[in-house]
Amino acid sequence: MNATRAAKAVTRLLADKDLSPQEVAWVAVALESAFDWATTGKERLPYLADSPDSPFAKPEVRLYLEMSSAREFIAHRLVYHVLNESSSPEPEMCEELECPADCSGRHDFDHIDCGPDEIFDALARHGVELPEEGR
């Protein structure tokens, strides 16, 4: 429930405040991290459109679901691109990562795990106080 409440608060925050792309990216990463922690080890919902008698199998609904998936993937890639482009180069990592000689010292983020609570700190930094329940 905390991750659900945080997701609603993020939507309100982004609708109400003009954050920089980097701030939006960090809030998105914190929210994704909270989601990952909240859903780890839990059974995922079945893909409802796979059942032919489901109302979710209608072409219009399938299009909506596929567009949602595509938008989620695009947003994920853009978030990590913004973070990578705004980070300082780390040439000291090149030897460990066995980078090619022409490496710029920038290394893509794959997944940042902020832990389950960073989203509440991120929201608070932007003036959104969300009391945590059930921790």
Side-chain angles (χ1 to χ4, degrees), residues 10-12 18 22-23 25-26 29 34 42 44 47 57 62 64 67 77 80 86-87 92-94 105 109-110 116 118:
V10 166
T11 301
R12 285 191 312 271
D18 186 24
Q22 186 177 15
E23 290 171 320
W26 279 115
V29 166
K42 296 198 169 97
R44 302 285 180 177
Y47 189 60
R62 281 196 76 107
Y64 177 80
M67 286 299 296
R77 292 294 302 261
Y80 284 98
S86 65
S87 68
E92 63 276 5
M93 300 258 318
C94 292
F109 295 98
D110 183 54
E118 172 58 23

Side-chain angles (χ1 to χ4, degrees), residues 19-98:
L19 303 181
S20 72
Q22 186 177 15
E23 290 171 320
V24 171
W26 279 115
V27 168
V29 166
L31 182 60
E32 285 293 334
S33 188
F35 171 79
D36 288 343
W37 277 82
T39 60
T40 297
K42 296 198 169 97
E43 187 175 327
R44 302 285 180 177
L45 292 174
Y47 189 60
L48 298 174
D50 286 343
S51 172
D53 59 340
S54 168
F56 294 99
K58 292 182 180 178
E60 299 83 11
V61 176
R62 281 196 76 107
L63 173 59
Y64 177 80
L65 293 171
E66 292 303 328
M67 286 299 296
S68 293
S69 291
R71 289 174 179 136
E72 178 183 351
F73 180 78
I74 291 165
H76 179 82
R77 292 294 302 261
L78 287 173
V79 161
Y80 284 98
H81 175 75
V82 166
L83 292 178
N84 185 50
E85 289 300 309
S86 65
S87 68
S88 300
E90 298 181 75
E92 63 276 5
M93 300 258 318
C94 292
E95 186 175 325
E96 182 180 328
L97 297 173
E98 299 178 7

Side-chain angles (χ1 to χ4, degrees), residues 112-123:
I112 301 171
D113 182 358
C114 304
D117 300 324
E118 172 58 23
I119 188 60
F120 298 102
D121 296 336
L123 287 166

